[in-house]
Amino acid sequence: MQGEINGNVTTVGQVVYLRDTGLVRGTISGMATKMHIIGPIEHSLEGRYHNLLIASDIGGDVRVSVSNRFSRALIILATARLGGELDYRADREADIQPGAKIAGRQQWTLLHSYGGQELLYQWQEPTWWLVRFSFLLSLWLFGLLMLKISRRFVWSIIERMRLQSKASIWQGLILVVLGFLVLIALTLSLVGLPLAITGLGLYIFLLGSGAIWSSLYLGTLVKGWVLRQANISDATILFIGAVIYTILLSWPYVGFYVAFISLIFSCGAWWLAFKLQMKR
């Protein structure tokens, strides 16, 4: 962000910078993996970030949640001037450099392991709900499209996940590791660069497809455990599983492992289903 911005700003992204040429005449709120505040903010700074650096003037309060257990997630440089309170939730105390000015009180709340308190804080943010609802809706709609295109093969994948779970995990892990190494080798070769871009696209496709297949698998488990006698449509099974998958993916510190396990599990099941299809 640069230049003068009249009003409030809501951020949703990986890396967000307010440059020294920028000026926000309002409040910045939202979420990002990395947020650098180099330019001034007239009002307040709010939201949830993994890493936050403040190096400029903020006229009002700073009320944020920063969730990075492996390093100091909140850094306030000596050039920073905060006109209000500093209220933050973090795993570690902020790195406030000598010379930084904070007019109001400072309040640090420790985040508990595996994000119990942090998750409660997230639920108070409308942006958090909007992002999760959008992900859930996209997962459900793309899953319905995939079932429409190739219902038989999709359910064959789910069957492999159910009947050959161990084989799916091990073969999926091998496929993911080998695919990653091949992708690196192609990237280092100028001749293989177009293939590397294609492979990266395939990886992204498998990651998204894995979420759909995992959702169907979770929905099938719920149907088998709770709704055994009920006659439930594919769309309902997918929706139930997508809700569970979204909740698991949203849990702090756990979501990454859920996505990784989903990727290797679904890749392995896809490979087993593909080999079975070839034999027929």
Side-chain angles (χ1 to χ4, degrees), residues 19 32 37 74 79 82 98 102 106 111 129 131 134 140 145 158 160 165 182 188 190-191 195 201 221 233 238 244 247:
R19 300 189 179 277
I37 304 297
L74 175 58
T79 54
L82 308 187
I102 302 174
Q106 300 179 40
L111 288 176
W129 286 99
V131 171
S134 300
W140 187 57
L145 179 62
I158 308 306
R160 295 308 100 201
S165 56
V182 170
L188 295 176
L190 292 178
V191 177
L195 291 176
L221 291 180
S233 65
L238 175 62
I244 297 173
I247 293 173

Side-chain angles (χ1 to χ4, degrees), residues 12-81:
V12 178
Q14 289 289 332
V15 181
V16 180
Y17 288 94
L18 175 59
R19 300 189 179 277
D20 55 358
T21 56
L23 167 63
V24 175
R25 297 190 179 278
T27 295
I28 292 182
S29 60
M31 59 179 63
T33 301
K34 180 185 293 185
M35 169 70 90
H36 284 190
I37 304 297
I38 312 299
I41 303 173
E42 284 197 351
H43 293 169
S44 302
L45 174 64
E46 303 170 354
R48 177 177 178 268
Y49 312 98
H50 281 284
N51 294 93
L52 173 62
L53 183 142
I54 300 175
S56 63
D57 296 350
I58 298 179
D61 298 332
V62 174
R63 301 183 184 277
V64 294
S65 172
V66 284
S67 55
N68 188 336
R69 291 187 296 167
F70 307 106
S71 64
R72 292 189 183 274
L74 175 58
I75 300 175
I76 301 177
L77 300 184
T79 54
R81 302 289 184 271

Side-chain angles (χ1 to χ4, degrees), residues 117-132:
Q117 184 174 346
E118 182 186 6
L119 190 62
L120 291 175
Y121 180 65
Q122 290 174 3
W123 288 352
Q124 301 172 18
E125 301 178 13
T127 309
W128 187 89
W129 286 99
L130 177 62
V131 171
R132 294 311 183 272

Side-chain angles (χ1 to χ4, degrees), residues 173-187 200 203:
L173 182 61
I174 294 171
L175 283 173
V176 169
V177 172
L178 287 178
F180 183 71
L181 293 176
V182 170
L183 190 62
I184 292 176
L186 290 174
T187 304
L200 181 61
Y203 249 68

